[in-house]
């Protein structure tokens, strides 16, 4: 597994990150259920053009209008966009939405907006539609979760580099350490990874689960951060892959990738996750930011 350490402070410029391990290769064969990718590109050109897409929808069963909620005076979608713009690997950042209120808000603070269909079932499908509407071609698409407004730009760069240096993967994502108090929270997605840094499984339940049925304080459980990057050719076919049993049962889109036999690279980062899943999370996030003088 690739590891990145990040240290947050009020001055973002002081944030440090480093990649401790990477896998270099010039070509690879990636086989999935319905796709066959064979790359013949030089190491310097492999998956070099990168776009960051922030999918945003107004309708949500848990939190209606979540992208527009104010976080210390700024819409949450704006805070996410501002953090994403600091990533060095992204050639462009766009917001993909199906709602004109969100689009108008984003244009107001200077973001590029792509309108997408209401029928998109998840963020990956919205990114896929947005990708095909962009006038320029990109090799990598980063799906940046709009409800993680304090995401570190170094994490975005980390998952991009992980995909660029792992040709047999079509997907990359990030995990961090799971706090014991979040072990049984279904909104906190957990992940297990193999010895080579590839994802084995994701779950809303605690994984691995031991015989005692309790949290093992000595075990390094992983919390999935949600941010993910895709090979653009894979993302184009992703919506056409039929829903899979594990995906439907857990309601986790990344499981469809694994169930169809594709490889997913995972990086481990040191990040204090502050996702906004419910209205109650807004006050917690604002309190965290005030304590650290984050404007």
């Amino acid at each position: 597994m690739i590891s990145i350490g990040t240290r947050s402070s009020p001055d973002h410029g002081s944030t440090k990150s480093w990649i401790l391990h990477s896998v270099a290769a010039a070509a690879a064969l990636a086989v999935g259920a319905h796709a066959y990718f064979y790359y013949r590109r030089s190491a310097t050109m492999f998956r070099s053009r990168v776009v960051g897409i922030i999918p945003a929808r107004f309708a949500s069963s848990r939190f209606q209008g979540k992208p527009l909620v104010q976080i210390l005076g700024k819409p949450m979608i704006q805070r996410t966009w501002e953090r994403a713009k600091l990533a060095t690997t992204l050639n462009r950042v766009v917001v993909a939405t199906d709602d004109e209120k969100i689009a108008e808000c984003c244009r107001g603070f200077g973001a590029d907006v792509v309108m997408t269909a209401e029928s998109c079932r998840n963020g990956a499908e919205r990114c896929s539609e947005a990708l095909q509407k962009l006038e320029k071609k990109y090799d990598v698409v980063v799906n940046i979760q709009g409800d993680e407004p304090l995401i570190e730009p170094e994490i975005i760069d980390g998952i991009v580099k992980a995909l660029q240096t792992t040709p047999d993967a079509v997907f990359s994502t990030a995990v961090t350490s799971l706090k014991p108090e979040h072990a049984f929270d279904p909104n906190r997605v957990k992940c297990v990874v193999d010895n080579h840094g590839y994802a084995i499984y994701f779950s809303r339940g605690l994984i691995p689960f031991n015989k005692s049925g309790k949290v093992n304080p000595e075990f390094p459980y992983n919390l999935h951060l949600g941010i993910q990057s895709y090979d653009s050719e894979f993302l184009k076919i992703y919506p056409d892959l039929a829903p899979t049993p594990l995906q439907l049962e857990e309601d986790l889109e990344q499981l469809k990738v694994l169930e169809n036999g594709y490889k997913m690279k995972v990086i481990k980062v040191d990040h204090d996750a502050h996702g906004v899943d419910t209205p109650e999370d807004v006050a917690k996030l604002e309190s965290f930011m005030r304590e650290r003088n984050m404007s």
Side-chain angles (χ1 to χ4, degrees):
M1 184 187 299
I2 300 174
S3 295
I4 294 179
T6 64
R7 177 172 58 83
S8 296
S9 71
D11 177 10
H12 178 77
S14 65
T15 301
K16 297 180 180 178
S17 70
W18 58 93
I19 295 182
L20 302 180
H21 173 69
S22 65
V23 180
L29 184 66
V31 180
H34 303 288
Y36 182 86
F37 298 116
Y38 187 66
Y39 300 100
R40 294 183 184 274
R41 304 175 187 169
S42 69
T44 57
M45 293 298 292
F46 185 73
R47 293 172 174 165
S48 60
R49 296 163 297 181
V50 186
V51 61
I53 300 179
I54 306 173
R57 65 190 182 105
F58 190 88
S60 172
S61 58
R62 288 183 296 178
F63 196 165
Q64 187 88 347
K66 183 166 65 170
L68 300 181
V69 67
Q70 294 288 307
I71 306 289
L72 294 185
K74 287 184 180 181
M76 183 166 65
I77 189 72
Q78 180 177 354
R79 291 194 174 276
T80 304
W81 177 82
E82 289 174 348
R83 302 288 276 190
K85 291 284 285 184
L86 296 173
T88 62
T89 55
L90 301 184
N91 300 113
R92 186 180 181 187
V93 179
V94 303
V95 175
T97 186
D98 59 5
D99 185 85
E100 190 54 46
K101 292 184 291 295
I102 293 175
E104 183 179 355
C105 172
C106 292
R107 294 187 188 107
F109 58 75
D112 290 338
V113 178
V114 177
M115 299 304 297
T116 52
E118 292 184 12
S119 58
C120 293
R121 292 170 290 185
N122 51 51
E125 290 193 7
R126 198 170 301 284
C127 287
S128 179
E129 182 182 340
L131 171 68
Q132 295 179 66
K133 289 184 173 181
L134 295 175
E135 66 279 5
K136 292 184 178 180
K137 302 299 182 183
Y138 296 93
D139 306 309
V140 174
V141 177
V142 185
N143 179 348
I144 302 167
Q145 300 293 319
D147 56 7
E148 180 70 43
L150 298 185
I151 189 68
E152 293 285 350
E154 289 82 6
I155 295 176
I156 297 174
D157 292 335
I159 65 168
V160 170
K161 292 172 183 176
L163 194 59
Q164 289 173 331
T165 56
T166 314
D168 62 339
V170 298
F171 192 118
S172 65
T173 191
V175 298
T176 193
S177 297
L178 178 71
K179 295 178 180 178
E181 60 266 31
H182 295 154
F184 299 104
D185 182 350
N187 292 321
R188 312 283 180 167
V189 177
K190 296 80 177 176
C191 175
V192 288
V193 183
D194 70 16
N195 290 337
H196 302 287
Y198 294 97
I200 298 174
Y201 193 67
F202 295 83
S203 180
R204 295 186 182 277
L206 183 63
I207 51 173
F209 193 77
N210 60 60
K211 291 181 179 179
S212 73
K214 299 178 181 179
V215 177
N216 177 1
E218 303 301 320
F219 192 87
Y221 298 101
N222 292 319
L223 170 68
H224 184 222
L225 292 179
I227 186 169
Q228 42 215 17
S229 70
Y230 320 91
D231 180 282
S232 62
E233 293 304 313
F234 168 73
L235 186 59
K236 290 176 184 176
I237 69 165
Y238 173 87
D240 297 327
L241 296 177
T244 53
L246 296 177
Q247 174 203 3
L248 295 174
E249 184 64 19
E250 295 262 16
D251 189 22
L252 295 174
E253 61 187 82
Q254 59 270 30
L255 288 177
K256 183 168 75 168
V257 180
L258 297 181
E259 284 185 270
N260 276 292
Y262 294 98
K263 285 194 172 185
M264 187 182 305
K265 191 68 174 178
V266 179
I267 64 171
K268 181 71 177 283
V269 302
D270 179 16
H271 176 67
D272 197 358
H274 292 277
V276 177
D277 296 307
T278 66
E280 292 74 25
D281 291 331
V282 175
K284 295 176 184 176
L285 178 60
E286 289 184 326
S287 177
F288 175 85
M289 294 173 68
R290 288 191 187 98
E291 290 172 1
R292 288 155 180 79
N293 296 317
M294 301 172 72
S295 59

